[in-house]
């Protein structure tokens, strides 16, 4: 089955700086890569996703890049703000059916220092 | 449109007790999932369902049971609670399986003592 590795487990950045979280996956059949943000006491919420026919996707301060050859994808947050503090999860899914859904990384606790 | 709702929010169980975690979605999604989240371990899939009447095991199904009698509801049953089942449980749903966004409920925090 799929295995998703996520690094780092904790990331502390100064407010206004950029943050980068990286994930690798093992199954070359995976072609859907979402990123979820989980705030304290809440369930994960999708913030951005990318499919394998695209190398990069951007939504305001958030961007995701995908390298299918190397089997890794990354989340980039620019101009970080206090409300970006949360746990971020990457995931990989198989658009060929994937009835058992997504495989998640273990999460990155992003801390924005004022 | 409430999305995915879960009850209860928090529960304390004694070892050996049973309980059902409730999950309901109003988005007419075919796929539903139960995950458990332990500190530093991400989300692990317990059971999933691709439609009413169809369920299957995920990565960590031992000690749990599910049923899916309607499209909207996907309850998770713990028969004999054990301390190892102390966790936060999330229900999620999606229109299609691994290719689509999953929408998560707010979670149920369970403590087994």
């Amino acid at each position: 089955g799929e295995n998703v590795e996520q690094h780092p487990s904790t990331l502390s950045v100064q407010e206004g700086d950029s943050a980068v979280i990286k994930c690798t996956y093992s199954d070359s059949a995976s072609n859907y890569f979402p990123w979820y943000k989980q705030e304290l006491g809440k369930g994960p919420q999708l913030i951005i996703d990318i499919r394998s026919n695209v190398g990069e996707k951007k939504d305001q301060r958030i961007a995701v890049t995908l390298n299918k050859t190397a089997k890794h994808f990354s989340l980039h947050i620019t101009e970080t703000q206090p409300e970006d503090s949360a746990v971020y999860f990457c995931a990989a899914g198989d658009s060929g059916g994937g009835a058992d859904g997504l495989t998640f990384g273990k999460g990155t606790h992003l801390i924005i220092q004022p | 449109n409430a999305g995915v709702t879960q009850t209860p929010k928090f529960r304390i169980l004694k070892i050996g007790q049973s309980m059902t975690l409730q999950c309901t979605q109003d988005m007419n999604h075919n796929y539903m999932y139960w995950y458990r989240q332990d500190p530093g371990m991400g989300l692990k899939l317990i059971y999933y369902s691709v439609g009413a009447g169809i369920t299957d095991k995920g990565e960590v199904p031992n000690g749990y049971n599910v049923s899916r009698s309607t499209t909207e509801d996907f309850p998770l049953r713990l028969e004999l609670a054990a301390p190892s089942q102390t966790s936060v449980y999330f229900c999620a749903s999606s229109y299609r399986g691994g290719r689509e966004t999953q929408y998560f409920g707010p979670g149920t925090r369970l403590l087994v003592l």
Side-chain angles (χ1 to χ4, degrees):
Chain A
E2 175 65 275
N3 182 50
V4 176
E5 299 282 342
Q6 182 172 347
H7 299 280
S9 56
T10 304
L11 178 60
S12 181
V13 301
Q14 290 293 125
E15 182 179 349
D17 288 350
S18 295
V20 181
I21 302 169
K22 298 181 179 181
C23 289
T24 61
Y25 62 99
S26 61
D27 189 349
S28 57
S30 291
N31 52 18
Y32 173 61
F33 307 94
W35 285 88
Y36 287 82
K37 176 183 181 182
Q38 185 178 26
E39 296 176 338
L40 194 62
K42 297 184 178 180
Q45 282 197 309
L46 179 78
I47 54 171
I48 195 167
D49 58 12
I50 191 168
R51 298 184 189 271
S52 60
N53 58 345
V54 176
E56 183 175 359
K57 185 177 179 180
K58 192 173 181 181
D59 182 4
Q60 299 183 330
R61 297 187 296 109
I62 295 172
V64 57
T65 58
L66 171 65
N67 183 327
K68 283 218 75 180
T69 304
K71 294 184 192 168
H72 65 72
F73 56 112
S74 301
L75 177 71
H76 304 253
I77 305 175
T78 58
E79 301 172 9
T80 52
Q81 299 170 4
E83 54 264 35
D84 295 330
S85 293
V87 178
Y88 292 81
F89 291 97
C90 63
D94 171 16
S95 71
D100 57 342
L102 302 167
T103 301
F104 287 84
K106 291 185 177 180
T108 295
H109 186 193
L110 177 62
I111 302 165
I112 308 301
Q113 302 279 4
Chain B
N1 191 336
V4 179
T5 57
Q6 292 182 240
T7 57
K9 283 187 170 56
F10 176 67
R11 181 79 180 266
I12 298 174
L13 279 184
K14 293 182 179 178
I15 294 172
Q17 286 186 320
S18 300
M19 77 164 293
T20 299
L21 284 67
Q22 301 292 345
C23 175
T24 300
Q25 53 92 8
D26 62 359
M27 297 174 281
N28 202 31
H29 284 167
N30 293 318
Y31 291 74
M32 295 187 74
Y33 312 85
W34 274 105
Y35 294 91
R36 60 176 287 169
Q37 184 178 37
D38 300 310
M41 297 302 293
L43 294 155
K44 294 193 174 180
L45 185 65
I46 304 171
Y47 270 95
Y48 66 96
S49 168
V50 302
I54 306 169
T55 63
D56 209 343
K57 296 177 181 179
E59 183 183 358
V60 289
N62 291 345
Y64 307 94
N65 274 302
V66 293
S67 59
R68 184 99 181 268
S69 57
T70 66
T71 300
E72 296 78 19
D73 300 305
F74 190 40
L76 177 71
R77 178 89 178 154
L78 282 72
E79 290 294 347
L80 292 169
S84 61
Q85 293 177 305
T86 293
S87 189
V88 181
Y89 292 85
F90 289 100
C91 178
S93 72
S94 68
Y95 178 59
R96 292 183 291 186
R99 72 192 81 178
E100 295 291 340
T101 302
Q102 290 188 15
Y103 296 86
F104 284 81
T108 293
R109 185 176 297 275
L110 178 65
L111 180 60
V112 182
L113 299 174

